[in-house]
Amino acid sequence: LYPLCSLKSLAALTPASILGVFCSIITCVFLGFRFFGGAYVPGGFLYSSVAPSLQPSFGIKGMNMLSPSCLILFSMAATGYMCHFAAPDFYHSLENNSPKRFKKLIANGFGATALLSVFFTFFGFLTFGGASSGMILNNYSTRDFGAVVCRLLTAGTLICGYPLILSGARSALFAMTKNGANVTESLRLNATKLLLSAVTCIALVLENSGFVVSLNGAISGSAIIYIFPSVMFLQSTKSRLSSGVLKMSRSLRAERLLNKFMIGLGAVLGLLGASVSVLESFFPGIL
């Protein structure tokens, strides 16, 4: 991972990113194949080779959209769209970049992500139901050759996408600590080693990837979707009002109130989502 994370330009990761996308598509197709083939239904040829705790489970809890567990699903879904921090790097690395081409890139990227997320959720949950694990491939039998291949493909997808995430985290770190000052090559590499080592140490301790995804989605997702944009809008309008560039009006006052409400809503949703993720992972008997 370190050589990939040390690259100066995200453009060099284009082949790896394309490979990661194809790995995700192949895995999604496999999940659909197993769902329609019925290999994991009771009596299916792979059903008995799955651990009892991971075997399909339906009709136990029932369907309740107000269940606290739904917050975990919403939190996980939010992680699929959290790439705002890497937007500047994506824009500058885009060939012949322009706002129009960048909008097209965003539309295609988010559209494909939404479609894949829907199919992954659909096939995974309808195959295993309430027994679905945070990493759905864990439910599939170790005797399932297709699942073994998909696990390798997933590892490839994570390796290909990891540098993109770390690059955004590194840029954010420099933005907070260096305050626009020039970053030397030595400092950039040392920061890469520090971030990579820290994340690796955490990964060695935490075993439930579903908990990591849901907690990250609850906190970071709520902040990026609800809180940060509202705070930026309020600060921007406050500055323009103070300088006289902007005048207060009824619609502007209503919009500022709405943004304050969004900040509160984001804080509540983030707190609830994070709490449910922790309780579901470490204290399952409470919920």
Side-chain angles (χ1 to χ4, degrees), residues 71-130:
L71 289 172
I72 297 179
L73 175 61
F74 297 150
S75 298
M76 287 182 170
T79 60
Y81 308 96
M82 291 194 304
C83 57
H84 306 65
F85 48 82
D89 291 332
F90 287 145
Y91 180 82
H92 292 302
S93 300
L94 180 64
E95 185 178 354
N96 299 324
N97 56 29
S98 67
K100 184 177 181 180
R101 281 177 54 80
F102 190 58
K103 288 180 181 179
K104 185 177 180 180
L105 172 68
I106 292 172
N108 291 336
F110 277 99
T113 299
L115 196 61
L116 278 175
S117 297
V118 168
F119 280 121
F120 269 114
T121 305
F122 180 85
F123 294 137
F125 181 77
L126 291 185
T127 301
F128 294 100

Side-chain angles (χ1 to χ4, degrees), residues 118-275:
V118 168
F119 280 121
F120 269 114
T121 305
F122 180 85
F123 294 137
F125 181 77
L126 291 185
T127 301
F128 294 100
S132 300
S133 62
M135 175 62 76
I136 192 62
L137 286 174
N138 289 341
N139 284 88
Y140 291 81
S141 172
T142 54
R143 300 179 184 176
D144 190 340
F145 178 75
V148 173
V149 172
C150 286
R151 290 186 182 103
L152 294 175
L153 293 177
T154 299
T157 301
L158 294 174
I159 291 173
C160 294
Y162 196 97
L164 301 176
I165 305 300
L166 190 133
S167 175
R170 185 178 56 210
S171 297
L173 177 64
F174 289 147
M176 290 188 298
T177 58
K178 299 297 290 183
N179 196 26
N182 290 331
V183 177
T184 63
E185 180 65 11
S186 175
L187 179 60
R188 190 182 70 85
L189 293 177
N190 287 333
T192 301
K193 295 176 183 177
L194 175 63
L195 290 172
L196 189 58
S197 300
V199 174
T200 302
C201 290
I202 295 174
L204 291 174
V205 176
L206 294 176
E207 298 179 356
N208 186 354
S209 59
F211 167 71
V212 177
V213 173
S214 60
L215 183 66
N216 180 41
I219 298 175
S220 302
S222 296
I224 293 174
I225 295 170
Y226 299 104
I227 298 176
F228 293 163
S230 298
V231 170
M232 288 189 289
F233 175 81
L234 291 173
Q235 290 298 321
S236 174
T237 53
K238 179 181 178 181
S239 175
R240 286 181 289 166
L241 286 169
S242 299
S243 62
V245 176
L246 185 66
K247 292 184 179 181
M248 180 62 73
S249 63
R250 181 178 299 178
S251 60
L252 179 59
R253 184 177 288 105
E255 194 169 3
R256 284 177 59 82
L257 286 174
L258 178 61
N259 276 270
K260 291 178 180 179
F261 169 77
M262 294 295 286
I263 293 175
L265 177 64
V268 171
L269 290 177
L271 180 60
L272 288 176
S275 300

